[in-house]
Amino acid sequence: MSELRKAKTDYPYFITLTVAGWIDIFTRKCYCDVVIDSWKYCIEHKGLEIFGYVIMPSHIHMVARSLNGDLNKILRDSKSFTSKRILELIDQMPGESRREWLIHMFKYFAKYQKQNETYLFWQKTNHPIELNYPEIIDQKIEYIHNNPVEAGYVTNPESWYYSSACPLSPLKVLET
């Protein structure tokens, strides 16, 4: 990620993580669970705090910060882990009907990046936006929660399972 676009303060940030080519990968529970498990690890061991999130089919929005001031490193490590693990699952999962196409696409996107020789799963930038007022944090969380509604997937935010708006969400977040 460009130095100009890095999270550099202790404030929460609005972050967008996008799959290369906007590929709809998070349509399967097992891939979403990899992200959730990675975040849980980062919360327990790296000082990540998440205030709101939504996992959409091709991208993720979250409001997060680091207790240690190293949000960029946490995001880098999480993206590295999740990309490797999801690519392994794509290759190993017997029911993955899109295996060849997905592998082809992630190889294709890697061709244009210096750092990724074989596969590019995540786009490089996280588009961090500093949130230094509680009202702005609330506004971004509302946007995050309404993302699946605006996309037409559900009629209310609480119905989208991989969202902090859902009472049954697999990840509990901090109150703002």
Side-chain angles (χ1 to χ4, degrees), residues 86-132:
I86 291 170
L87 288 165
E88 285 173 6
L89 286 172
I90 290 169
D91 191 47
Q92 297 168 0
M93 195 167 67
E96 182 51 77
S97 59
R98 304 181 301 162
R99 177 181 296 114
E100 289 81 19
W101 178 77
L102 288 168
I103 296 299
H104 170 77
M105 293 306 294
F106 292 131
K107 282 182 180 178
Y108 171 79
F109 290 112
K111 288 191 324 186
Y112 302 102
Q113 300 293 323
K114 294 177 185 176
Q115 292 175 310
N116 299 79
E117 297 173 10
T118 311
Y119 303 107
L120 179 67
F121 183 85
W122 293 110
Q123 289 184 10
K124 291 294 179 192
T125 185
N126 300 321
H127 304 288
I129 299 172
E130 184 179 270
L131 307 176
N132 51 5

mmCIF file of all heavy atoms in Angstrom, residues 86-132:
data_model
loop_
_atom_site.group_PDB
_atom_site.id
_atom_site.type_symbol
_atom_site.label_atom_id
_atom_site.label_comp_id
_atom_site.label_asym_id
_atom_site.label_seq_id
_atom_site.Cartn_x
_atom_site.Cartn_y
_atom_site.Cartn_z
ATOM 1 N N ILE A 86 -7.251 -19.181 1.729
ATOM 2 C CA ILE A 86 -8.389 -19.287 0.811
ATOM 3 C C ILE A 86 -7.948 -19.940 -0.499
ATOM 4 O O ILE A 86 -8.664 -20.789 -1.052
ATOM 5 C CB ILE A 86 -9.050 -17.916 0.580
ATOM 6 C CG1 ILE A 86 -9.754 -17.467 1.875
ATOM 7 C CG2 ILE A 86 -10.046 -17.977 -0.585
ATOM 8 C CD1 ILE A 86 -10.237 -16.033 1.871
ATOM 9 N N LEU A 87 -6.771 -19.596 -0.993
ATOM 10 C CA LEU A 87 -6.275 -20.241 -2.209
ATOM 11 C C LEU A 87 -6.069 -21.743 -1.990
ATOM 12 O O LEU A 87 -6.353 -22.552 -2.881
ATOM 13 C CB LEU A 87 -4.994 -19.571 -2.689
ATOM 14 C CG LEU A 87 -5.194 -18.183 -3.298
ATOM 15 C CD1 LEU A 87 -3.877 -17.440 -3.424
ATOM 16 C CD2 LEU A 87 -5.886 -18.290 -4.649
ATOM 17 N N GLU A 88 -5.599 -22.123 -0.807
ATOM 18 C CA GLU A 88 -5.478 -23.552 -0.483
ATOM 19 C C GLU A 88 -6.848 -24.225 -0.502
ATOM 20 O O GLU A 88 -6.999 -25.322 -1.040
ATOM 21 C CB GLU A 88 -4.866 -23.739 0.914
ATOM 22 C CG GLU A 88 -3.399 -23.481 1.018
ATOM 23 C CD GLU A 88 -2.913 -23.525 2.472
ATOM 24 O OE1 GLU A 88 -3.701 -23.867 3.392
ATOM 25 O OE2 GLU A 88 -1.738 -23.200 2.688
ATOM 26 N N LEU A 89 -7.830 -23.571 0.098
ATOM 27 C CA LEU A 89 -9.181 -24.140 0.131
ATOM 28 C C LEU A 89 -9.765 -24.278 -1.272
ATOM 29 O O LEU A 89 -10.413 -25.287 -1.585
ATOM 30 C CB LEU A 89 -10.105 -23.289 1.005
ATOM 31 C CG LEU A 89 -9.904 -23.403 2.511
ATOM 32 C CD1 LEU A 89 -10.758 -22.371 3.242
ATOM 33 C CD2 LEU A 89 -10.233 -24.806 2.999
ATOM 34 N N ILE A 90 -9.556 -23.269 -2.099
ATOM 35 C CA ILE A 90 -10.045 -23.337 -3.478
ATOM 36 C C ILE A 90 -9.472 -24.572 -4.160
ATOM 37 O O ILE A 90 -10.177 -25.326 -4.836
ATOM 38 C CB ILE A 90 -9.675 -22.067 -4.264
ATOM 39 C CG1 ILE A 90 -10.490 -20.870 -3.758
ATOM 40 C CG2 ILE A 90 -9.877 -22.269 -5.771
ATOM 41 C CD1 ILE A 90 -10.006 -19.527 -4.279
ATOM 42 N N ASP A 91 -8.194 -24.794 -3.951
ATOM 43 C CA ASP A 91 -7.508 -25.914 -4.595
ATOM 44 C C ASP A 91 -7.935 -27.268 -4.025
ATOM 45 O O ASP A 91 -8.016 -28.255 -4.742
ATOM 46 C CB ASP A 91 -5.994 -25.735 -4.452
ATOM 47 C CG ASP A 91 -5.231 -26.716 -5.309
ATOM 48 O OD1 ASP A 91 -5.578 -26.873 -6.496
ATOM 49 O OD2 ASP A 91 -4.288 -27.341 -4.783
ATOM 50 N N GLN A 92 -8.238 -27.323 -2.728
ATOM 51 C CA GLN A 92 -8.496 -28.599 -2.051
ATOM 52 C C GLN A 92 -9.972 -28.958 -1.904
ATOM 53 O O GLN A 92 -10.299 -30.127 -1.725
ATOM 54 C CB GLN A 92 -7.872 -28.579 -0.646
ATOM 55 C CG GLN A 92 -6.375 -28.441 -0.652
ATOM 56 C CD GLN A 92 -5.826 -28.130 0.734
ATOM 57 O OE1 GLN A 92 -6.574 -28.008 1.705
ATOM 58 N NE2 GLN A 92 -4.511 -27.985 0.826
ATOM 59 N N MET A 93 -10.843 -27.974 -1.971
ATOM 60 C CA MET A 93 -12.252 -28.228 -1.679
ATOM 61 C C MET A 93 -12.919 -28.974 -2.833
ATOM 62 O O MET A 93 -12.970 -28.470 -3.960
ATOM 63 C CB MET A 93 -12.985 -26.912 -1.394
ATOM 64 C CG MET A 93 -14.317 -27.104 -0.742
ATOM 65 S SD MET A 93 -15.004 -25.586 -0.062
ATOM 66 C CE MET A 93 -15.311 -24.640 -1.530
ATOM 67 N N PRO A 94 -13.434 -30.174 -2.560
ATOM 68 C CA PRO A 94 -14.029 -30.970 -3.635
ATOM 69 C C PRO A 94 -15.232 -30.304 -4.305
ATOM 70 O O PRO A 94 -15.465 -30.492 -5.485
ATOM 71 C CB PRO A 94 -14.468 -32.269 -2.945
ATOM 72 C CG PRO A 94 -14.046 -32.188 -1.539
ATOM 73 C CD PRO A 94 -13.497 -30.834 -1.270
ATOM 74 N N GLY A 95 -15.986 -29.508 -3.585
ATOM 75 C CA GLY A 95 -17.197 -28.900 -4.138
ATOM 76 C C GLY A 95 -16.986 -27.561 -4.818
ATOM 77 O O GLY A 95 -17.962 -26.913 -5.184
ATOM 78 N N GLU A 96 -15.752 -27.139 -5.007
ATOM 79 C CA GLU A 96 -15.513 -25.819 -5.614
ATOM 80 C C GLU A 96 -15.655 -25.914 -7.140
ATOM 81 O O GLU A 96 -14.724 -26.313 -7.838
ATOM 82 C CB GLU A 96 -14.133 -25.269 -5.230
ATOM 83 C CG GLU A 96 -13.842 -23.887 -5.796
ATOM 84 C CD GLU A 96 -14.939 -22.884 -5.528
ATOM 85 O OE1 GLU A 96 -15.024 -22.379 -4.387
ATOM 86 O OE2 GLU A 96 -15.731 -22.598 -6.456
ATOM 87 N N SER A 97 -16.826 -25.544 -7.621
ATOM 88 C CA SER A 97 -17.128 -25.656 -9.055
ATOM 89 C C SER A 97 -16.370 -24.630 -9.898
ATOM 90 O O SER A 97 -16.234 -24.815 -11.108
ATOM 91 C CB SER A 97 -18.631 -25.502 -9.279
ATOM 92 O OG SER A 97 -19.068 -24.247 -8.785
ATOM 93 N N ARG A 98 -15.871 -23.572 -9.274
ATOM 94 C CA ARG A 98 -15.187 -22.520 -10.029
ATOM 95 C C ARG A 98 -13.663 -22.612 -9.895
ATOM 96 O O ARG A 98 -12.966 -21.667 -10.228
ATOM 97 C CB ARG A 98 -15.650 -21.148 -9.542
ATOM 98 C CG ARG A 98 -17.145 -20.947 -9.621
ATOM 99 C CD ARG A 98 -17.563 -19.576 -9.151
ATOM 100 N NE ARG A 98 -17.157 -19.328 -7.779
ATOM 101 C CZ ARG A 98 -17.075 -18.123 -7.213
ATOM 102 N NH1 ARG A 98 -17.395 -17.056 -7.905
ATOM 103 N NH2 ARG A 98 -16.702 -17.988 -5.961
ATOM 104 N N ARG A 99 -13.136 -23.719 -9.413
ATOM 105 C CA ARG A 99 -11.707 -23.856 -9.102
ATOM 106 C C ARG A 99 -10.801 -23.365 -10.238
ATOM 107 O O ARG A 99 -9.958 -22.498 -10.034
ATOM 108 C CB ARG A 99 -11.369 -25.309 -8.765
ATOM 109 C CG ARG A 99 -9.873 -25.544 -8.511
ATOM 110 C CD ARG A 99 -9.529 -26.993 -8.200
ATOM 111 N NE ARG A 99 -10.158 -27.383 -6.960
ATOM 112 C CZ ARG A 99 -11.126 -28.288 -6.848
ATOM 113 N NH1 ARG A 99 -11.566 -28.923 -7.920
ATOM 114 N NH2 ARG A 99 -11.643 -28.571 -5.675
ATOM 115 N N GLU A 100 -10.944 -23.932 -11.411
ATOM 116 C CA GLU A 100 -10.041 -23.585 -12.518
ATOM 117 C C GLU A 100 -10.142 -22.110 -12.872
ATOM 118 O O GLU A 100 -9.137 -21.441 -13.107
ATOM 119 C CB GLU A 100 -10.331 -24.458 -13.751
ATOM 120 C CG GLU A 100 -9.922 -25.903 -13.584
ATOM 121 C CD GLU A 100 -10.944 -26.739 -12.805
ATOM 122 O OE1 GLU A 100 -12.128 -26.321 -12.688
ATOM 123 O OE2 GLU A 100 -10.541 -27.791 -12.279
ATOM 124 N N TRP A 101 -11.361 -21.615 -12.918
ATOM 125 C CA TRP A 101 -11.552 -20.212 -13.270
ATOM 126 C C TRP A 101 -10.953 -19.286 -12.210
ATOM 127 O O TRP A 101 -10.268 -18.322 -12.539
ATOM 128 C CB TRP A 101 -13.050 -19.918 -13.444
ATOM 129 C CG TRP A 101 -13.316 -18.474 -13.750
ATOM 130 C CD1 TRP A 101 -13.149 -17.848 -14.945
ATOM 131 C CD2 TRP A 101 -13.770 -17.472 -12.823
ATOM 132 N NE1 TRP A 101 -13.476 -16.517 -14.838
ATOM 133 C CE2 TRP A 101 -13.862 -16.267 -13.544
ATOM 134 C CE3 TRP A 101 -14.107 -17.484 -11.482
ATOM 135 C CZ2 TRP A 101 -14.286 -15.079 -12.945
ATOM 136 C CZ3 TRP A 101 -14.523 -16.300 -10.890
ATOM 137 C CH2 TRP A 101 -14.605 -15.111 -11.626
ATOM 138 N N LEU A 102 -11.197 -19.587 -10.934
ATOM 139 C CA LEU A 102 -10.655 -18.752 -9.854
ATOM 140 C C LEU A 102 -9.129 -18.744 -9.876
ATOM 141 O O LEU A 102 -8.509 -17.669 -9.805
ATOM 142 C CB LEU A 102 -11.161 -19.240 -8.496
ATOM 143 C CG LEU A 102 -12.631 -18.981 -8.186
ATOM 144 C CD1 LEU A 102 -13.067 -19.763 -6.951
ATOM 145 C CD2 LEU A 102 -12.899 -17.495 -8.015
ATOM 146 N N ILE A 103 -8.526 -19.907 -9.989
ATOM 147 C CA ILE A 103 -7.063 -19.983 -10.026
ATOM 148 C C ILE A 103 -6.526 -19.205 -11.222
ATOM 149 O O ILE A 103 -5.566 -18.446 -11.115
ATOM 150 C CB ILE A 103 -6.588 -21.457 -10.058
ATOM 151 C CG1 ILE A 103 -6.982 -22.175 -8.764
ATOM 152 C CG2 ILE A 103 -5.093 -21.559 -10.328
ATOM 153 C CD1 ILE A 103 -6.383 -21.602 -7.501
ATOM 154 N N HIS A 104 -7.169 -19.377 -12.369
ATOM 155 C CA HIS A 104 -6.763 -18.642 -13.575
ATOM 156 C C HIS A 104 -6.826 -17.134 -13.342
ATOM 157 O O HIS A 104 -5.898 -16.398 -13.696
ATOM 158 C CB HIS A 104 -7.654 -19.033 -14.757
ATOM 159 C CG HIS A 104 -7.469 -18.161 -15.952
ATOM 160 N ND1 HIS A 104 -6.387 -18.270 -16.803
ATOM 161 C CD2 HIS A 104 -8.220 -17.125 -16.414
ATOM 162 C CE1 HIS A 104 -6.480 -17.343 -17.752
ATOM 163 N NE2 HIS A 104 -7.583 -16.641 -17.535
ATOM 164 N N MET A 105 -7.918 -16.669 -12.741
ATOM 165 C CA MET A 105 -8.082 -15.226 -12.525
ATOM 166 C C MET A 105 -7.059 -14.676 -11.531
ATOM 167 O O MET A 105 -6.483 -13.612 -11.756
ATOM 168 C CB MET A 105 -9.507 -14.911 -12.057
ATOM 169 C CG MET A 105 -10.566 -15.168 -13.109
ATOM 170 S SD MET A 105 -10.275 -14.327 -14.691
ATOM 171 C CE MET A 105 -10.443 -12.616 -14.207
ATOM 172 N N PHE A 106 -6.812 -15.384 -10.434
ATOM 173 C CA PHE A 106 -5.837 -14.896 -9.453
ATOM 174 C C PHE A 106 -4.423 -14.921 -10.022
ATOM 175 O O PHE A 106 -3.592 -14.073 -9.680
ATOM 176 C CB PHE A 106 -5.954 -15.678 -8.142
ATOM 177 C CG PHE A 106 -7.252 -15.410 -7.415
ATOM 178 C CD1 PHE A 106 -8.033 -16.454 -6.946
ATOM 179 C CD2 PHE A 106 -7.716 -14.119 -7.217
ATOM 180 C CE1 PHE A 106 -9.227 -16.215 -6.284
ATOM 181 C CE2 PHE A 106 -8.917 -13.860 -6.564
ATOM 182 C CZ PHE A 106 -9.677 -14.911 -6.104
ATOM 183 N N LYS A 107 -4.125 -15.855 -10.926
ATOM 184 C CA LYS A 107 -2.831 -15.851 -11.634
ATOM 185 C C LYS A 107 -2.760 -14.661 -12.594
ATOM 186 O O LYS A 107 -1.739 -13.987 -12.698
ATOM 187 C CB LYS A 107 -2.642 -17.148 -12.421
ATOM 188 C CG LYS A 107 -2.233 -18.325 -11.594
ATOM 189 C CD LYS A 107 -2.019 -19.545 -12.485
ATOM 190 C CE LYS A 107 -1.600 -20.743 -11.665
ATOM 191 N NZ LYS A 107 -1.427 -21.941 -12.524
ATOM 192 N N TYR A 108 -3.857 -14.430 -13.289
ATOM 193 C CA TYR A 108 -3.919 -13.321 -14.237
ATOM 194 C C TYR A 108 -3.629 -11.987 -13.554
ATOM 195 O O TYR A 108 -2.817 -11.195 -14.038
ATOM 196 C CB TYR A 108 -5.298 -13.282 -14.910
ATOM 197 C CG TYR A 108 -5.535 -12.047 -15.735
ATOM 198 C CD1 TYR A 108 -5.002 -11.935 -17.012
ATOM 199 C CD2 TYR A 108 -6.280 -10.988 -15.226
ATOM 200 C CE1 TYR A 108 -5.209 -10.792 -17.768
ATOM 201 C CE2 TYR A 108 -6.499 -9.840 -15.974
ATOM 202 C CZ TYR A 108 -5.959 -9.747 -17.243
ATOM 203 O OH TYR A 108 -6.155 -8.611 -17.983
ATOM 204 N N PHE A 109 -4.261 -11.731 -12.413
ATOM 205 C CA PHE A 109 -4.060 -10.462 -11.720
ATOM 206 C C PHE A 109 -2.649 -10.348 -11.141
ATOM 207 O O PHE A 109 -2.133 -9.249 -10.985
ATOM 208 C CB PHE A 109 -5.127 -10.241 -10.651
ATOM 209 C CG PHE A 109 -6.486 -9.973 -11.234
ATOM 210 C CD1 PHE A 109 -7.511 -10.893 -11.098
ATOM 211 C CD2 PHE A 109 -6.736 -8.809 -11.946
ATOM 212 C CE1 PHE A 109 -8.752 -10.658 -11.652
ATOM 213 C CE2 PHE A 109 -7.970 -8.563 -12.511
ATOM 214 C CZ PHE A 109 -8.992 -9.491 -12.370
ATOM 215 N N ALA A 110 -2.014 -11.455 -10.841
ATOM 216 C CA ALA A 110 -0.647 -11.434 -10.309
ATOM 217 C C ALA A 110 0.364 -11.019 -11.370
ATOM 218 O O ALA A 110 1.421 -10.461 -11.036
ATOM 219 C CB ALA A 110 -0.278 -12.808 -9.751
ATOM 220 N N LYS A 111 0.068 -11.259 -12.638
ATOM 221 C CA LYS A 111 1.009 -10.929 -13.713
ATOM 222 C C LYS A 111 1.379 -9.455 -13.725
ATOM 223 O O LYS A 111 2.452 -9.092 -14.175
ATOM 224 C CB LYS A 111 0.415 -11.274 -15.083
ATOM 225 C CG LYS A 111 0.341 -12.726 -15.372
ATOM 226 C CD LYS A 111 0.008 -13.048 -16.825
ATOM 227 C CE LYS A 111 -0.947 -12.134 -17.508
ATOM 228 N NZ LYS A 111 -1.321 -12.585 -18.853
ATOM 229 N N TYR A 112 0.508 -8.616 -13.230
ATOM 230 C CA TYR A 112 0.715 -7.175 -13.314
ATOM 231 C C TYR A 112 1.225 -6.565 -12.013
ATOM 232 O O TYR A 112 1.243 -5.346 -11.865
ATOM 233 C CB TYR A 112 -0.594 -6.497 -13.746
ATOM 234 C CG TYR A 112 -1.075 -7.042 -15.067
ATOM 235 C CD1 TYR A 112 -2.103 -7.970 -15.127
ATOM 236 C CD2 TYR A 112 -0.453 -6.664 -16.253
ATOM 237 C CE1 TYR A 112 -2.522 -8.493 -16.336
ATOM 238 C CE2 TYR A 112 -0.867 -7.178 -17.472
ATOM 239 C CZ TYR A 112 -1.894 -8.098 -17.504
ATOM 240 O OH TYR A 112 -2.301 -8.613 -18.711
ATOM 241 N N GLN A 113 1.652 -7.407 -11.085
ATOM 242 C CA GLN A 113 2.143 -6.935 -9.791
ATOM 243 C C GLN A 113 3.564 -7.441 -9.560
ATOM 244 O O GLN A 113 3.845 -8.607 -9.804
ATOM 245 C CB GLN A 113 1.242 -7.430 -8.652
ATOM 246 C CG GLN A 113 -0.185 -6.969 -8.754
ATOM 247 C CD GLN A 113 -0.328 -5.473 -8.571
ATOM 248 O OE1 GLN A 113 0.373 -4.861 -7.776
ATOM 249 N NE2 GLN A 113 -1.240 -4.875 -9.318
ATOM 250 N N LYS A 114 4.429 -6.591 -9.080
ATOM 251 C CA LYS A 114 5.810 -6.985 -8.823
ATOM 252 C C LYS A 114 5.935 -7.924 -7.633
ATOM 253 O O LYS A 114 6.761 -8.820 -7.631
ATOM 254 C CB LYS A 114 6.670 -5.741 -8.571
ATOM 255 C CG LYS A 114 6.805 -4.848 -9.775
ATOM 256 C CD LYS A 114 7.604 -3.610 -9.428
ATOM 257 C CE LYS A 114 7.618 -2.670 -10.614
ATOM 258 N NZ LYS A 114 8.295 -1.418 -10.310
ATOM 259 N N GLN A 115 5.118 -7.714 -6.589
ATOM 260 C CA GLN A 115 5.267 -8.459 -5.344
ATOM 261 C C GLN A 115 4.662 -9.850 -5.389
ATOM 262 O O GLN A 115 5.032 -10.709 -4.616
ATOM 263 C CB GLN A 115 4.639 -7.682 -4.184
ATOM 264 C CG GLN A 115 5.380 -6.419 -3.861
ATOM 265 C CD GLN A 115 4.643 -5.628 -2.802
ATOM 266 O OE1 GLN A 115 3.452 -5.384 -2.921
ATOM 267 N NE2 GLN A 115 5.359 -5.217 -1.773
ATOM 268 N N ASN A 116 3.718 -10.086 -6.252
ATOM 269 C CA ASN A 116 3.024 -11.366 -6.283
ATOM 270 C C ASN A 116 3.413 -12.119 -7.548
ATOM 271 O O ASN A 116 2.949 -11.791 -8.623
ATOM 272 C CB ASN A 116 1.508 -11.168 -6.227
ATOM 273 C CG ASN A 116 1.085 -10.487 -4.958
ATOM 274 O OD1 ASN A 116 1.199 -9.283 -4.844
ATOM 275 N ND2 ASN A 116 0.624 -11.256 -4.008
ATOM 276 N N GLU A 117 4.231 -13.134 -7.387
ATOM 277 C CA GLU A 117 4.715 -13.868 -8.544
ATOM 278 C C GLU A 117 3.683 -14.849 -9.084
ATOM 279 O O GLU A 117 3.621 -15.082 -10.287
ATOM 280 C CB GLU A 117 5.993 -14.627 -8.174
ATOM 281 C CG GLU A 117 7.130 -13.712 -7.769
ATOM 282 C CD GLU A 117 8.318 -14.494 -7.237
ATOM 283 O OE1 GLU A 117 8.336 -15.723 -7.351
ATOM 284 O OE2 GLU A 117 9.238 -13.844 -6.717
ATOM 285 N N THR A 118 2.878 -15.452 -8.201
ATOM 286 C CA THR A 118 1.979 -16.511 -8.626
ATOM 287 C C THR A 118 0.522 -16.084 -8.616
ATOM 288 O O THR A 118 -0.163 -16.181 -9.631
ATOM 289 C CB THR A 118 2.147 -17.762 -7.731
ATOM 290 O OG1 THR A 118 3.542 -18.066 -7.635
ATOM 291 C CG2 THR A 118 1.437 -18.952 -8.334
ATOM 292 N N TYR A 119 0.030 -15.620 -7.464
ATOM 293 C CA TYR A 119 -1.382 -15.271 -7.318
ATOM 294 C C TYR A 119 -1.527 -13.901 -6.675
ATOM 295 O O TYR A 119 -0.744 -13.535 -5.810
ATOM 296 C CB TYR A 119 -2.111 -16.273 -6.425
ATOM 297 C CG TYR A 119 -2.031 -17.701 -6.889
ATOM 298 C CD1 TYR A 119 -1.227 -18.620 -6.226
ATOM 299 C CD2 TYR A 119 -2.762 -18.138 -7.983
ATOM 300 C CE1 TYR A 119 -1.154 -19.942 -6.643
ATOM 301 C CE2 TYR A 119 -2.702 -19.453 -8.413
ATOM 302 C CZ TYR A 119 -1.891 -20.343 -7.734
ATOM 303 O OH TYR A 119 -1.823 -21.634 -8.151
ATOM 304 N N LEU A 120 -2.564 -13.187 -7.079
ATOM 305 C CA LEU A 120 -2.947 -11.948 -6.396
ATOM 306 C C LEU A 120 -4.396 -12.118 -5.972
ATOM 307 O O LEU A 120 -5.295 -12.180 -6.817
ATOM 308 C CB LEU A 120 -2.810 -10.728 -7.301
ATOM 309 C CG LEU A 120 -3.225 -9.407 -6.659
ATOM 310 C CD1 LEU A 120 -2.262 -9.029 -5.533
ATOM 311 C CD2 LEU A 120 -3.295 -8.297 -7.686
ATOM 312 N N PHE A 121 -4.615 -12.228 -4.663
ATOM 313 C CA PHE A 121 -5.965 -12.407 -4.137
ATOM 314 C C PHE A 121 -6.591 -11.070 -3.767
ATOM 315 O O PHE A 121 -7.706 -10.766 -4.167
ATOM 316 C CB PHE A 121 -5.944 -13.339 -2.921
ATOM 317 C CG PHE A 121 -7.310 -13.623 -2.372
ATOM 318 C CD1 PHE A 121 -8.073 -14.645 -2.916
ATOM 319 C CD2 PHE A 121 -7.848 -12.858 -1.354
ATOM 320 C CE1 PHE A 121 -9.354 -14.902 -2.438
ATOM 321 C CE2 PHE A 121 -9.120 -13.107 -0.864
ATOM 322 C CZ PHE A 121 -9.875 -14.132 -1.409
ATOM 323 N N TRP A 122 -5.886 -10.270 -2.979
ATOM 324 C CA TRP A 122 -6.394 -8.969 -2.524
ATOM 325 C C TRP A 122 -5.811 -7.856 -3.388
ATOM 326 O O TRP A 122 -4.635 -7.890 -3.740
ATOM 327 C CB TRP A 122 -5.977 -8.695 -1.087
ATOM 328 C CG TRP A 122 -6.577 -9.583 -0.059
ATOM 329 C CD1 TRP A 122 -5.930 -10.535 0.674
ATOM 330 C CD2 TRP A 122 -7.927 -9.593 0.412
ATOM 331 N NE1 TRP A 122 -6.796 -11.141 1.549
ATOM 332 C CE2 TRP A 122 -8.028 -10.583 1.415
ATOM 333 C CE3 TRP A 122 -9.065 -8.863 0.080
ATOM 334 C CZ2 TRP A 122 -9.213 -10.855 2.082
ATOM 335 C CZ3 TRP A 122 -10.245 -9.135 0.750
ATOM 336 C CH2 TRP A 122 -10.314 -10.117 1.735
ATOM 337 N N GLN A 123 -6.614 -6.842 -3.682
ATOM 338 C CA GLN A 123 -6.063 -5.624 -4.274
ATOM 339 C C GLN A 123 -5.110 -4.998 -3.269
ATOM 340 O O GLN A 123 -5.231 -5.210 -2.063
ATOM 341 C CB GLN A 123 -7.175 -4.639 -4.629
ATOM 342 C CG GLN A 123 -8.002 -5.078 -5.810
ATOM 343 C CD GLN A 123 -9.042 -4.040 -6.198
ATOM 344 O OE1 GLN A 123 -9.057 -2.915 -5.713
ATOM 345 N NE2 GLN A 123 -9.931 -4.436 -7.088
ATOM 346 N N LYS A 124 -4.167 -4.222 -3.737
ATOM 347 C CA LYS A 124 -3.091 -3.714 -2.882
ATOM 348 C C LYS A 124 -3.545 -2.717 -1.827
ATOM 349 O O LYS A 124 -3.105 -2.765 -0.697
ATOM 350 C CB LYS A 124 -1.985 -3.075 -3.741
ATOM 351 C CG LYS A 124 -1.222 -4.083 -4.541
ATOM 352 C CD LYS A 124 -0.458 -4.982 -3.620
ATOM 353 C CE LYS A 124 0.315 -6.024 -4.393
ATOM 354 N NZ LYS A 124 0.829 -7.053 -3.518
ATOM 355 N N THR A 125 -4.372 -1.790 -2.160
ATOM 356 C CA THR A 125 -4.706 -0.732 -1.210
ATOM 357 C C THR A 125 -5.907 -1.101 -0.343
ATOM 358 O O THR A 125 -6.747 -1.893 -0.746
ATOM 359 C CB THR A 125 -4.968 0.612 -1.921
ATOM 360 O OG1 THR A 125 -5.179 1.632 -0.933
ATOM 361 C CG2 THR A 125 -6.163 0.532 -2.831
ATOM 362 N N ASN A 126 -5.929 -0.530 0.858
ATOM 363 C CA ASN A 126 -7.036 -0.731 1.795
ATOM 364 C C ASN A 126 -7.928 0.503 1.877
ATOM 365 O O ASN A 126 -8.915 0.483 2.597
ATOM 366 C CB ASN A 126 -6.494 -1.032 3.199
ATOM 367 C CG ASN A 126 -5.642 -2.266 3.218
ATOM 368 O OD1 ASN A 126 -5.939 -3.239 2.555
ATOM 369 N ND2 ASN A 126 -4.561 -2.231 3.966
ATOM 370 N N HIS A 127 -7.547 1.575 1.213
ATOM 371 C CA HIS A 127 -8.296 2.832 1.224
ATOM 372 C C HIS A 127 -8.615 3.298 2.643
ATOM 373 O O HIS A 127 -9.776 3.553 2.970
ATOM 374 C CB HIS A 127 -9.573 2.715 0.408
ATOM 375 C CG HIS A 127 -9.354 2.286 -1.001
ATOM 376 N ND1 HIS A 127 -8.790 3.122 -1.942
ATOM 377 C CD2 HIS A 127 -9.584 1.110 -1.631
ATOM 378 C CE1 HIS A 127 -8.698 2.480 -3.086
ATOM 379 N NE2 HIS A 127 -9.168 1.260 -2.922
ATOM 380 N N PRO A 128 -7.618 3.421 3.531
ATOM 381 C CA PRO A 128 -7.925 3.817 4.912
ATOM 382 C C PRO A 128 -8.401 5.267 5.004
ATOM 383 O O PRO A 128 -7.816 6.167 4.400
ATOM 384 C CB PRO A 128 -6.590 3.635 5.637
ATOM 385 C CG PRO A 128 -5.565 3.812 4.565
ATOM 386 C CD PRO A 128 -6.182 3.269 3.303
ATOM 387 N N ILE A 129 -9.467 5.465 5.736
ATOM 388 C CA ILE A 129 -9.984 6.804 5.997
ATOM 389 C C ILE A 129 -10.032 6.987 7.510
ATOM 390 O O ILE A 129 -10.724 6.235 8.206
ATOM 391 C CB ILE A 129 -11.388 6.999 5.395
ATOM 392 C CG1 ILE A 129 -11.343 6.822 3.870
ATOM 393 C CG2 ILE A 129 -11.961 8.360 5.784
ATOM 394 C CD1 ILE A 129 -12.707 6.799 3.213
ATOM 395 N N GLU A 130 -9.291 7.965 7.997
ATOM 396 C CA GLU A 130 -9.240 8.222 9.441
ATOM 397 C C GLU A 130 -10.586 8.726 9.934
ATOM 398 O O GLU A 130 -11.202 9.598 9.323
ATOM 399 C CB GLU A 130 -8.147 9.258 9.727
ATOM 400 C CG GLU A 130 -7.949 9.532 11.193
ATOM 401 C CD GLU A 130 -6.851 10.551 11.426
ATOM 402 O OE1 GLU A 130 -5.693 10.127 11.561
ATOM 403 O OE2 GLU A 130 -7.161 11.751 11.448
ATOM 404 N N LEU A 131 -11.034 8.175 11.052
ATOM 405 C CA LEU A 131 -12.308 8.560 11.650
ATOM 406 C C LEU A 131 -12.023 9.172 13.018
ATOM 407 O O LEU A 131 -11.877 8.467 14.000
ATOM 408 C CB LEU A 131 -13.218 7.338 11.788
ATOM 409 C CG LEU A 131 -13.442 6.523 10.512
ATOM 410 C CD1 LEU A 131 -14.290 5.289 10.804
ATOM 411 C CD2 LEU A 131 -14.061 7.372 9.419
ATOM 412 N N ASN A 132 -11.952 10.483 13.065
ATOM 413 C CA ASN A 132 -11.535 11.139 14.306
ATOM 414 C C ASN A 132 -12.676 11.788 15.088
ATOM 415 O O ASN A 132 -12.428 12.502 16.044
ATOM 416 C CB ASN A 132 -10.435 12.156 14.020
ATOM 417 C CG ASN A 132 -10.783 13.112 12.906
ATOM 418 O OD1 ASN A 132 -11.891 13.079 12.392
ATOM 419 N ND2 ASN A 132 -9.840 13.938 12.513
#
